Amino acid sequence: TLNLAAGQLITGNVDNTGATANRGTLVFLGNTSSATGTIGATNPLAMVSFNGAGAINVPNNARSAVFNVGNAAANVTAGQLITGNVKYTAAGTFNANAGINGAVITTTSNTGRLKLVGTVTGGIGGVSLFLQAVEFNAGASRLIGTAYVQNCTVKSAAATVQIGQFFGNINFDAAGTITIYGITGNIDFKNNAGLLSLTGTGISGNVDSTSGSNGTLQFTGTSNALVVGTIGPTNPLAEVKFSGTTPVAIPTARANQFTIENAGANVKASGLLTGNVVYNTSGIVSANAGITGNANFAGNSGTLNLAAGKTITGTVDNTGTTANKGTLNITGGTVTGAVGSTNPLNTVTFNAGTSSLGSTARASNFTVNSATAAVTATGLLTGAVDFTASGTLTAGGGITGNVNFAGK
C-alpha cells in the first residue's frame, strides 16, 4: 500500500510489473494530490482509493481492479481512460473525462456522482443500489450496460448520449441529445430544446417540460413502443415525432406538434392529443380519445382514425400542392372545423355510429360504410358521396358532387 499525502505528487508511473495482476494499493489522502504518470501500465493495481477531501487528479491512463471513492468531499478528475470498476463507498464525485472500461457501483443507494464524457462499458448501480447522479458534459457519451441512476442530467447542448436500458429520471439542463432504448422513470426537458430519441420498447413515466414548453420526443424504433404516463402534463412539448416503422402507443399527450415522419408509423393514442397533427409522409394515427388541434395531411397519403364518441376540435386539411391526399375515418365521432379547406382529402369514411361534420368538407369521396352510420354534415359537402352500406347521411349544407347508393 502506498499512501500519498494531501498536496503531494507522484511524478512518474505507479505500476505492477509482476506476473500477477490486481496487486498493490494506491491511496490518495487529501486535496490537490496527483499521480502524473500512468497507473497500472503493465498490470492493473488491486485498488486506487480516493480517501481525502478536495480535488484529486489522475491525468493519464489508469488500470486497477477498483477505483474507490471513499470520501464524500472527494472530487476526482480522470483525464484519460479508466480501466476497472469505479466504486462509491462515500458520496463523492468522479469526473471521467475519457470514459470507464468497467462498471460503476455504489455500496449505499442514492450515493455517488459521476460526471461523464466517454463510454461506460459496464452497468451502473443496481436494482436496490441506485447511483445518485450521472451528468453528461459536452461531447459523446455512452452507457452500454443497464443503468440504475436516481437522476441523469444533460449539462451541455453539445452532449450527445447513447443509453441502453435505464432506470431513473432524466433531466435536461441544456439542449443536448439522448438516444435511449427504454426508460423506467420520468423525463423533464425543463424548457430546454433537448431531444430524446426512443429506439426501443418504451417509457414508463411522464415526459414533461416543467419550466416552459420545449423539448422533442422522437420515436425511431423498429419494435413496438409504449409510453405509460403522460406527455406534457405541466407544459406541452415542442414536438413529438414518429420516425419509426412499428406501432407506438401513447397516452394523453400535449405538444405544439405531433409529426408523422415515417410511412410505416402507426400511432395509437389512448388519451387526448392536444396540439396539431402533421403528416410529413404517409402513416397512421388512431385518435382514440380525440384531438384538440388541427390535422394536416400536407399532400401525403396518411390515415387519421377517429374513435367512437370522440372529437377533433379543429380542422382536418391538406395544405400540400397535391389534391386528394389523406384519409379520414370517423367511427361515430365529430369534427368541429372544416375538412379539406385548402385542398380536398382523398376519402372521408363514416363507419358505425353517429358522426358529424361541423363545417364545410371537401374530399374526392365521402363513403357511408356501415348500416348503422348516422351522419350529419352541417356545411356543404364537395365531392362524390358513395353508400357502401345502408346508412344515413343528412346533408345540412348540400352536396356539390354525385351521389351513388350502389344498390344499398
Side-chain angles (χ1 to χ4, degrees):
T1 300
L2 173 62
N3 296 318
L4 183 64
Q8 302 304 310
L9 301 177
I10 297 175
T11 307
N13 297 332
V14 180
D15 205 357
N16 168 23
T17 63
T20 305
N22 305 329
R23 291 289 188 267
T25 298
L26 172 62
V27 180
F28 292 89
L29 295 176
N31 186 35
T32 69
S33 57
S34 176
T36 64
T38 300
I39 297 175
T42 306
N43 288 302
L45 275 59
M47 179 178 291
V48 177
S49 191
F50 308 101
N51 292 356
I56 301 171
N57 189 30
V58 181
N60 289 308
N61 292 328
R63 297 197 304 160
S64 177
V66 176
F67 294 86
N68 177 57
V69 180
N71 190 306
N75 187 2
V76 182
T77 299
Q80 298 297 324
L81 178 65
I82 293 294
T83 299
N85 296 331
V86 175
K87 180 180 181 180
Y88 291 86
T89 55
T93 299
F94 195 97
N95 300 274
N97 292 334
I100 299 168
N101 186 12
V104 180
I105 60 177
T106 180
T107 59
T108 304
S109 192
N110 200 27
T111 298
R113 181 177 299 273
L114 173 64
K115 297 182 179 182
L116 179 65
V117 178
T119 297
V120 178
T121 62
I124 298 180
V127 174
S128 59
L129 291 171
F130 277 60
L131 204 69
Q132 180 186 14
V134 175
E135 297 180 2
F136 300 108
N137 295 313
S141 296
R142 185 181 180 191
L143 307 183
I144 293 178
T146 301
Y148 298 84
V149 184
Q150 196 71 31
N151 286 288
C152 267
T153 304
V154 176
K155 302 296 287 187
S156 170
T160 57
V161 183
Q162 296 181 58
I163 302 176
Q165 194 68 44
F166 182 81
F167 295 85
N169 301 316
I170 293 178
N171 301 291
F172 286 79
D173 284 355
T177 299
I178 291 180
T179 301
I180 191 167
Y181 181 80
I183 173 174
T184 299
N186 299 317
I187 300 159
D188 189 356
F189 288 102
K190 299 170 70 173
N191 200 24
N192 289 291
L195 169 63
L196 188 134
S197 179
L198 183 72
T199 64
T201 54
I203 300 168
S204 294
N206 294 331
V207 184
D208 205 358
S209 182
T210 58
S211 303
S213 181
N214 218 328
T216 297
L217 172 62
Q218 183 177 32
F219 296 89
T220 60
T222 57
S223 58
N224 294 3
L226 171 67
V227 179
V228 179
T230 302
I231 298 173
T234 306
N235 293 295
L237 272 58
E239 189 172 9
V240 178
K241 296 181 178 182
F242 303 97
S243 307
T245 59
T246 51
V248 175
I250 62 172
T252 299
R254 298 196 302 158
N256 295 336
Q257 183 167 302
F258 299 90
T259 308
I260 306 302
E261 293 196 325
N262 192 303
N266 185 357
V267 183
K268 300 177 181 180
S270 61
L272 177 66
L273 299 181
T274 301
N276 297 325
V277 177
V278 177
Y279 291 77
N280 286 344
T281 183
S282 57
I284 301 171
V285 175
S286 297
N288 294 322
I291 299 170
T292 298
N294 302 318
N296 184 6
F297 291 103
N300 294 289
S301 300
T303 299
L304 175 58
N305 300 316
L306 180 63
K310 306 306 177 183
T311 300
I312 297 174
T313 306
T315 63
V316 180
D317 205 357
N318 170 25
T319 63
T321 57
T322 306
N324 305 326
K325 291 292 185 179
T327 297
L328 173 62
N329 295 319
I330 304 174
T331 304
T334 299
V335 180
T336 64
V339 175
S341 59
T342 305
N343 289 298
L345 273 59
N346 182 43
T347 303
V348 177
T349 299
F350 303 102
N351 296 310
T354 301
S355 299
S356 65
L357 301 179
S359 186
T360 58
R362 299 197 302 159
S364 177
N365 288 92
F366 296 90
T367 303
V368 178
N369 196 41
S370 172
T372 60
V375 183
T376 300
T378 302
L380 175 66
L381 297 183
T382 301
V385 177
D386 296 321
F387 285 80
T388 58
S390 56
T392 302
L393 170 62
T394 302
I399 298 172
T400 299
N402 300 321
V403 178
N404 184 4
F405 287 103
K408 304 300 180 183

